[in-house]
Amino acid sequence: MTKPVSRSLTVCSALAVAILLLVAAGLCIGPVNIPFGKAAGVVFGHGSGSDAWDYIILESRFPSTVTALLAGAALSASGLMLQTAFRNPLAGPDILGINGGAGLGVAIVMMLFGGNLSMGSMSLGASVSVIVGAMAGAMAVTGLILALSARIKNPVVLLIAGVMVSYLASALISLLNFFSTAEGVHSYTMWGMGNFGGVSLSRLPLFACLALAGLLVALLLVKPLNAMLLGDMYARNLGVNVRRARLMLLLATSLLVAVTTAFCGPVSFIGLAVPHIARLMLGSSDHRRLMPVTVLSGAAVALVCNLASSLPGDRGLIPLNAITPAIGAPVILYVLLKQQRRD
């Protein structure tokens, strides 16, 4: 077994163990601490002997833990694909405005449903409409950024263009909020802070199926992503249909970001920072190893954030977007300083 393969297996094994421990902690720790044996009994259908504990696990902690795991994996995979496609270490769903586009799509759709942004309280048709709106907004922004990338070769200028698109989406959202009701503005503001606890047990299968479908497409794009690392011309020489690969990348990224944003709000920094954490652990840019490690790292980071958001106990949940920058910002600063030393 070669050293890179051995290292990737070691990292994946360590991440898998960390994820299992974080899942257990997420089920047990909160305003009401529940013994692990009782929590596991509820998850596996045996019950805990307490109706209150059964309700807490099934209606709150289990859905939020699974949602965090899948959302972190989805955002991290989308960030890795964007950074490879644009060959820019600062490309990410939030920086390039894809989160903002998905949020704009949600805002437009929710205006039609009276401003209620609680996915758990909506009908199935309304939930699907929100997801479709988020995906349309995410695809529109991703398509626009891809079109700009064909004209703008400077990665810094392209990044600035993405930030401008994000500002434009934010301006349109502010305009919609201006004409919305006070309840709608409050609901959108709370949703915009990010929350893994907004997916109910009944909505969890829908979220899981969509997120897993996007992750499957991301894993199937590993070979084209490796070829695209060295440029479009090199990829074509290897027989990769670059146009089709970019379209599949657009669809996968839009699906992953849109589903996560629709259900959890526009979660920042995970998609931007986690791919760099995975590269630092692996010391490699080979997507055959980097994609699985990125997915597992994203799941672990999101589980940590979900656990941290519930630590205040009876004071309520801390918004996710107050936690994720504390993890993501130092990573990005380190990457920038490291790149500056190379230059």
Side-chain angles (χ1 to χ4, degrees):
M1 185 181 294
T2 62
K3 186 176 180 180
V5 174
S6 176
R7 183 173 180 176
S8 63
L9 287 175
T10 302
V11 171
C12 286
S13 299
L15 287 170
V17 172
I19 288 171
L20 290 175
L21 293 174
L22 288 167
V23 167
L27 294 175
C28 299
I29 299 174
V32 177
N33 292 325
I34 300 174
F36 174 73
K38 300 293 185 181
V42 176
V43 172
F44 290 108
H46 303 305
S48 65
S50 168
D51 292 339
W53 286 0
D54 291 354
Y55 182 84
I56 290 170
I57 295 295
L58 291 177
E59 297 299 328
S60 177
R61 293 186 186 175
F62 178 74
S64 65
T65 298
V66 176
T67 299
L69 190 153
L70 292 173
L75 291 173
S76 302
S78 65
L80 176 61
M81 289 189 291
L82 290 171
Q83 289 170 12
T84 302
F86 294 115
R87 293 191 290 278
N88 191 322
L90 295 180
D94 40 352
I95 298 296
L96 290 176
I98 300 173
N99 275 354
L104 177 60
V106 171
I108 293 172
V109 171
M110 293 317 301
M111 290 287 287
L112 304 176
F113 290 94
N116 183 4
L117 279 158
S118 176
M119 292 292 291
S121 63
M122 296 169 60
S123 66
L124 180 60
S127 299
V128 172
S129 298
V130 170
I131 296 167
V132 171
M135 189 168 180
M139 286 187 68
V141 172
T142 308
L144 176 59
I145 297 299
L146 284 173
L148 290 173
S149 69
R151 291 177 172 270
I152 302 173
K153 301 304 181 183
N154 189 318
V156 176
V157 177
L158 181 62
L159 193 68
I160 294 173
V163 173
M164 293 303 103
V165 172
S166 180
Y167 277 125
L168 178 60
S170 297
L172 293 174
I173 290 171
S174 298
L175 188 62
L176 288 173
N177 281 331
F178 178 79
F179 290 104
S180 183
T181 62
E183 179 186 356
V185 173
H186 179 265
S187 180
Y188 192 90
T189 301
M190 296 302 294
W191 173 83
M193 293 180 180
N195 177 23
F196 290 138
V199 181
S200 64
L201 187 63
S202 61
R203 294 285 179 265
L204 187 59
L206 175 62
F207 173 76
C209 288
L210 292 172
L212 290 172
L215 288 171
L216 177 61
V217 176
L219 291 172
L220 293 175
L221 288 171
V222 163
K223 182 179 177 181
L225 285 169
N226 267 346
M228 291 167 67
L229 278 175
L230 299 176
D232 292 352
M233 185 176 296
Y234 182 83
R236 291 190 185 94
N237 290 335
L238 291 177
V240 175
N241 187 326
V242 175
R243 186 174 182 179
R244 185 172 63 185
R246 286 186 180 276
L247 178 61
M248 292 298 294
L249 185 146
L250 165 65
L251 291 172
T253 302
S254 299
L255 177 61
L256 292 169
V257 174
V259 170
T260 304
T261 303
F263 281 93
C264 309
V267 181
S268 64
F269 273 103
I270 289 181
L272 177 62
V274 170
H276 294 295
I277 296 175
R279 290 189 187 97
L280 290 173
M281 288 191 293
L282 274 183
S284 171
S285 295
D286 185 348
H287 286 76
R288 291 174 298 178
R289 295 187 290 273
L290 185 58
M291 181 63 78
V293 171
T294 299
V295 168
L296 292 173
S297 300
V301 168
L303 286 168
V304 169
C305 294
N306 185 53
L307 187 61
S309 71
S310 64
L311 287 181
D314 55 2
R315 296 186 179 181
L317 296 177
I318 299 176
L320 276 178
N321 286 330
I323 299 173
T324 52
I327 297 175
V331 174
I332 299 305
L333 288 173
Y334 174 79
V335 171
L336 291 173
L337 290 173
K338 187 176 180 180
Q339 187 173 5
Q340 182 68 27
R341 286 198 295 268
R342 287 178 180 175
D343 297 339

